[in-house]
Amino acid sequence: MLNNIPRAINRMVRNVVINHPNSLNCVCVRKVVTRPAGEDVAGFPTLGGMSVIDSYDEEQYEYMPLGNGFALKTEMFQPSLMMDSQDANNGQSDDFHFMIEPENAGEFELIKNDVMYLLIGDVRLAFEIVWIETTSDIPPYTQRYICNRRNDLNLSV
Amino acid sequence: MASSKHPWLGRIHGSGKEARERAEADKQERLEEGRSEKSIILNQKDIQTGKWDSHKLLFTTIGGKERPITRDDLIAFRQNIQTAQHKFTKGITAKQIIDWSASPIEGLHHSDLELASKQITMAVPVSSQNGRVRFITNSGTDSDVTRHHVIVEFLDYGIEAASGASDPRKAAMRMRKGYLKIECDCGKWRYWLRYIATIGGFNAGRNETGYPKIRNPKLQGIGCKHIVRVASEIQSGSVVLSFLTKLMEKAKAHDEAKSVLRTKQEDAEKHASNQARRTTGNDIKTSEHKRQERQAKKKAAEAIAKIAPPKKLKAASKITALDADAREAKLRRSLAEYGIEPTKEQIEAVRNAK
């Protein structure tokens, strides 16, 4: 019964994120390892070759397209350094909190390490989801995504 | 020094004297140690002959523990010398300095690339005489001095300066990709790396003939963290490019292709401030890192291309203005919110957008 509360919140969040004037279009992709799985060790899959200590280090991988969405930055504003030209602030933190909604409801579900590209004109700004947090303690929860910038993946059309 | 905005940078005026004094002190100490009866320096003659005075008690750390040198060690040292010399047949480039500094020297925990990325975040060219440029870098966290002097000799200077064929900027761009000789005034360079630079033929200062039998018997590494930071600035820093361009302008205007250039205190302060404010971090990337980044970017772009354009483009995602300057300004404002300054590529994309 209580599950209706986070569900209702999520419906409202979706409405707000899609229609909010500050929300941006985004596109999401997921890194998947394409290396054929080796033999299991004690039931667990093995990692790649020498010096591969994390799935990050895998050489054989692809980015899987997830779909379009909308992203709204959510954190409260904190005092920030200004740009030299003093016409904008320079951001206050390395972590960015976003609410992200797929263009079509239920089209994809984001997980940790997915990459979200914000569309700003012809620039696609890459963010990686490093943590997922919830603002309510009731399943199915109300997700917010904590992202880090991935400047190395930024794209220009 | 107190009047400088950056305590590590100090006064530029008089810094040349400081660099010379440090080099002279280093030279004197080495000379005295070489002449001392208690000297434990293993020089080229000792390695070649395997014979030295009985008072010399020589140790090495090959094998992990400090122990007396044996005949087999000398054979290994000779082999290491040959291997190192073979590696540097043509000299050394800024790119090679970065690429070959990615692994820690045996016995040390951190690579010089890692230390340069974390600790040595600023390097400013302060003076130059012909192709010999002196840089000042900040020092590491545990250092007993505030700044270090790194000397870089651009070996292509003569060719580029004498050539009347191209403009100074292009000459500077070629020069920074060319071969270099290097030197630093820090202890790591003195005790671990100067010997390698000497036998490799890329040492810009005092030659060292004493084999680093205790600290670096396997002759690993190439440049200290200060040199790696300078190499990174040479490879991709705009300050170094403009410094070399000015140097080339002067050299090309001189009848004998000679030039002397000094950075003003206020300019050095400005460069240091810009480097201190870098928004994209101070990470120095090897060629392999860059290759992996290009590969990841390409794969991500391919994935995005498979997704249809959004049905509804939000107003906040649009950068629409008739004027290219207005579009660029809007892009700057939008990206500033995420602590990012647009790259040249991004600015071009927005300015040229239809």
Side-chain angles (χ1 to χ4, degrees):
Chain A
M1 190 65 178
L2 276 176
N3 300 11
N4 287 335
I5 297 168
R7 282 198 188 111
I9 294 173
N10 283 337
R11 276 198 299 277
M12 286 189 285
V13 164
R14 183 167 168 77
N15 253 330
V16 169
V17 171
I18 291 174
N19 296 308
H20 198 284
N22 287 351
S23 74
L24 293 140
N25 290 84
C26 70
V27 56
C28 301
V29 293
R30 178 170 300 159
K31 187 177 178 179
V32 283
V33 176
T34 54
R35 178 179 57 82
E39 286 178 14
D40 288 1
V41 174
F44 294 104
T46 56
L47 280 169
M50 192 124 108
S51 81
V52 174
I53 52 171
D54 187 274
S55 60
Y56 255 79
D57 303 325
E58 292 277 3
E59 267 282 300
Q60 294 177 41
Y61 64 90
E62 293 296 333
Y63 279 100
M64 184 175 85
L66 294 175
N68 289 308
F70 301 97
L72 180 64
K73 212 168 102 172
T74 60
E75 70 254 44
M76 295 285 285
F77 184 77
Q78 296 291 320
S80 306
L81 293 174
M82 289 206 76
M83 304 285 277
D84 284 349
S85 52
Q86 297 194 36
D87 58 356
N89 74 73
N90 210 2
Q92 74 274 9
S93 156
D94 289 337
D95 292 336
F96 296 90
H97 296 235
F98 283 101
M99 290 194 290
I100 303 169
E101 287 295 326
E103 201 172 51
N104 304 311
E107 191 181 353
F108 56 84
E109 194 175 324
L110 292 168
I111 56 171
K112 208 170 140 181
N113 298 127
D114 281 353
V115 177
M116 183 267 293
Y117 277 94
L118 280 187
L119 267 60
I120 299 176
D122 290 316
V123 173
R124 285 177 171 144
L125 219 54
F127 290 86
E128 180 175 334
I129 297 169
V130 289
W131 295 107
I132 301 173
E133 63 179 9
T134 176
T135 50
S136 80
D137 194 19
I138 311 164
Y141 301 108
T142 49
Q143 280 88 344
R144 276 197 320 204
Y145 303 93
I146 303 171
C147 303
N148 280 175
R149 272 166 24 195
R150 283 291 304 269
N151 287 345
D152 54 317
L153 287 176
N154 288 349
L155 297 169
S156 303
V157 178
Chain B
M1 287 214 177
S3 59
S4 171
K5 279 184 206 167
H6 300 278
W8 67 269
L9 181 63
R11 303 294 306 166
I12 299 293
H13 185 72
S15 66
K17 192 181 166 203
E18 181 186 79
R20 281 193 300 279
E21 281 172 358
R22 284 189 195 175
E24 188 55 34
D26 173 62
K27 190 179 164 187
Q28 282 306 323
E29 279 173 33
R30 174 63 178 81
L31 208 63
E32 282 165 25
E33 185 59 34
R35 285 175 183 162
S36 163
E37 283 188 1
K38 290 177 184 171
S39 167
I40 53 161
I41 292 170
L42 179 70
N43 59 31
Q44 71 270 47
K45 201 177 154 201
D46 298 337
I47 296 175
Q48 282 159 13
T49 59
K51 291 173 188 166
W52 53 80
D53 293 343
S54 56
H55 69 261
K56 269 194 184 181
L57 289 171
L58 301 184
F59 289 84
T60 182
T61 54
I62 279 194
K65 279 184 185 172
E66 195 167 301
R67 57 173 178 75
I69 284 177
T70 64
R71 191 177 165 75
D72 287 347
D73 291 330
L74 291 180
I75 295 167
F77 291 166
R78 274 184 229 132
Q79 185 61 41
N80 290 347
I81 291 169
Q82 276 179 9
T83 310
Q85 279 175 328
H86 183 69
K87 200 172 165 186
F88 308 118
T89 46
K90 289 179 185 169
I92 188 97
T93 63
K95 190 178 157 207
Q96 285 170 333
I97 294 172
I98 294 169
D99 288 353
W100 292 345
S101 299
S103 309
I105 294 172
E106 197 174 277
L108 301 177
H109 296 297
H110 302 285
S111 72
D112 287 295
L113 186 80
E114 201 183 328
L115 293 173
S117 293
K118 283 183 186 159
Q119 300 178 1
I120 314 301
T121 52
M122 292 165 271
V124 181
V126 289
S127 70
S128 168
Q129 190 161 23
N130 300 325
R132 197 176 162 86
V133 182
R134 184 166 56 85
F135 291 80
I136 292 183
T137 75
N138 64 314
S139 58
T141 42
D142 51 353
S143 180
D144 52 356
V145 291
T146 55
R147 61 182 182 180
H148 285 284
H149 302 274
V150 174
I151 308 285
V152 178
E153 209 175 307
F154 291 85
L155 299 183
D156 290 347
Y157 171 85
I159 305 165
E160 294 296 347
S163 153
S166 58
D167 68 276
R169 193 178 161 83
K170 281 184 182 166
M173 285 172 88
R174 279 197 299 273
M175 210 160 83
R176 67 177 184 169
K177 287 191 174 130
Y179 290 111
L180 315 167
K181 282 188 174 184
I182 48 178
E183 191 201 18
C184 183
D185 62 4
C186 73
K188 179 79 172 279
W189 176 256
R190 183 176 177 182
Y191 296 112
W192 272 264
L193 301 162
R194 192 187 278 279
Y195 181 79
I196 301 174
T198 306
I199 61 165
F202 59 90
N203 181 15
R206 168 180 78 74
N207 282 337
E208 178 56 77
T209 54
Y211 193 94
K213 58 200 179 300
I214 308 240
R215 291 194 170 91
N216 193 6
K218 292 193 175 174
L219 302 183
Q220 294 167 321
I222 187 94
C224 62
K225 56 190 175 184
H226 315 103
I227 285 176
V228 174
R229 169 55 63 195
V230 168
S232 161
E233 295 300 325
I234 289 172
Q235 201 185 23
S236 52
S238 56
V239 173
V240 177
L241 182 62
S242 79
F243 186 89
L244 292 179
T245 306
K246 278 184 204 156
L247 194 69
M248 278 289 112
E249 274 169 13
K250 276 193 153 188
K252 282 175 183 291
H254 191 270
D255 196 32
E256 290 174 37
K258 287 182 179 169
S259 61
V260 175
L261 194 61
R262 282 194 177 79
T263 304
K264 287 181 192 161
Q265 181 75 30
E266 62 256 41
D267 289 340
E269 301 265 353
K270 204 172 115 191
H271 300 328
S273 297
N274 287 339
Q275 289 176 353
R277 256 205 323 255
R278 273 191 263 240
T279 51
T280 47
N282 284 305
D283 285 354
I284 301 171
K285 289 168 186 166
T286 62
S287 310
E288 177 59 16
H289 281 145
K290 287 180 186 168
R291 186 191 67 77
Q292 285 177 359
E293 271 186 22
R294 280 196 300 274
Q295 193 188 36
K297 223 176 199 181
K298 193 176 158 218
K299 285 179 176 176
E302 281 167 4
I304 290 175
K306 289 177 190 161
I307 301 171
K311 287 177 196 161
K312 175 184 154 196
L313 200 58
K314 300 280 297 180
S317 277
K318 290 179 192 168
I319 293 192
T320 47
L322 290 173
D323 185 4
D325 288 342
R327 286 201 294 274
E328 185 186 326
K330 194 170 175 190
L331 174 76
R332 283 183 184 280
R333 279 199 299 279
S334 301
L335 296 196
E337 202 178 328
Y338 302 98
I340 297 172
E341 280 199 56
T343 60
K344 276 183 191 169
E345 196 188 12
Q346 291 166 341
I347 292 169
E348 283 303 308
V350 169
R351 288 186 75 89
N352 298 331
K354 288 172 188 170

